[in-house]
Amino acid sequence: KLALKKAEPALREVRAAIDDLPPLPSRRDHEKILERLKAIRAGLTPRVQELREGEKWMRWANTNVQEELCARAEALREIADPEAAARPLSDLMERWKTASVAEPDKSQALWQRFKAATDEARARLEALHAQNAAGKVALCEKAEALAVSTDWTKTAEAIKALQIEWKSVGQAGRGQDKALWERFRKACDRFFT
């Protein structure tokens, strides 16, 4: 279960110990310790090579996975609905994390490509949320203006129309939706009370 990050320094330490073995009380002790160090090196060297080879293959495989994830993220540009385009983002990010180690000469370019595509999808969603928030603020202002009206029948119909319109406006984002809804409902409740 030895990891490459620990195996390589351990192998370097064993090699250094073999090269710089200090004088020992007897030649027999010297040969015994030297023999043990060489046995450790002999056991550790193939394991380090195996780990290096495994990491090389993992980087190669992850590069292919990252290229696929980039293509999927870039395909989100084709989806007209920003909310539908943003839905797969968390899954794509999780998959990217599991394949984060790629070939050194390609990894930075792939990350930039992936990040640009996901940032674009997020920006489209944020723009939609800002537009929806502006629409909801306008509806709140209309409801607040009608809340003090005494023309009961006409105003009741107008507020009901605002409520129907409210349902047609999309989400304004997690932080704003609740506050805007409470503001709108408060104005409506004030009138109907």
Side-chain angles (χ1 to χ4, degrees), residues 121-170:
R122 276 193 201 92
R124 287 177 50 207
L125 181 63
E126 288 170 6
L128 175 66
H129 283 172
Q131 179 183 348
N132 290 345
K136 287 185 174 186
V137 166
L139 291 173
C140 288
E141 290 169 352
K142 288 178 185 176
E144 289 165 347
L146 292 173
V148 294
S149 175
T150 55
D151 187 0
W152 307 119
T153 307
K154 187 176 175 183
T155 306
E157 291 303 316
I159 288 182
K160 287 178 185 175
L162 290 177
Q163 290 172 338
I164 291 170
E165 190 178 343
W166 181 274
K167 291 177 185 176
S168 70
V169 177

Side-chain angles (χ1 to χ4, degrees), residues 12 53 56 61 66 69 71 75 79 89 99 102 112 157-159 193:
R12 279 194 299 271
E53 199 63 28
K56 182 179 172 185
Q66 285 183 359
L69 291 172
I79 300 174
L89 284 177
Q112 293 300 327
E157 291 303 316
I159 288 182
T193 300

Side-chain angles (χ1 to χ4, degrees), residues 27-178:
R27 180 147 180 80
R28 186 174 166 205
D29 289 340
H30 185 271
E31 288 174 7
K32 189 176 178 183
I33 290 177
L34 188 60
E35 186 179 312
R36 285 187 66 200
L37 287 171
K38 286 181 179 180
I40 291 170
R41 180 182 63 187
L44 200 52
T45 301
R47 180 67 180 138
V48 168
Q49 286 301 103
E50 181 183 312
L51 289 169
R52 284 180 184 153
E53 199 63 28
E55 185 165 307
K56 182 179 172 185
W57 280 107
M58 182 188 67
R59 286 179 182 276
W60 178 81
N62 283 349
T63 300
N64 292 333
V65 170
Q66 285 183 359
E67 287 172 351
E68 176 194 338
L69 291 172
C70 286
R72 286 186 180 187
E74 290 166 346
L76 298 176
R77 294 175 178 144
E78 305 301 319
I79 300 174
D81 178 18
E83 288 180 334
R87 267 186 221 113
L89 284 177
S90 62
D91 180 53
L92 288 174
M93 289 302 293
E94 281 301 313
R95 292 194 59 210
W96 185 272
K97 287 178 189 175
T98 61
S100 64
V101 179
E103 294 179 53
D105 59 328
K106 295 181 180 178
S107 66
Q108 188 62 29
L110 287 169
W111 169 246
Q112 293 300 327
R113 187 176 150 200
F114 180 77
K115 185 171 178 354
T118 56
D119 285 351
E120 184 178 325
R122 276 193 201 92
R124 287 177 50 207
L125 181 63
E126 288 170 6
L128 175 66
H129 283 172
Q131 179 183 348
N132 290 345
K136 287 185 174 186
V137 166
L139 291 173
C140 288
E141 290 169 352
K142 288 178 185 176
E144 289 165 347
L146 292 173
V148 294
S149 175
T150 55
D151 187 0
W152 307 119
T153 307
K154 187 176 175 183
T155 306
E157 291 303 316
I159 288 182
K160 287 178 185 175
L162 290 177
Q163 290 172 338
I164 291 170
E165 190 178 343
W166 181 274
K167 291 177 185 176
S168 70
V169 177
Q171 292 184 359
R174 288 186 182 158
Q176 291 185 316
D177 263 335
K178 185 177 179 183

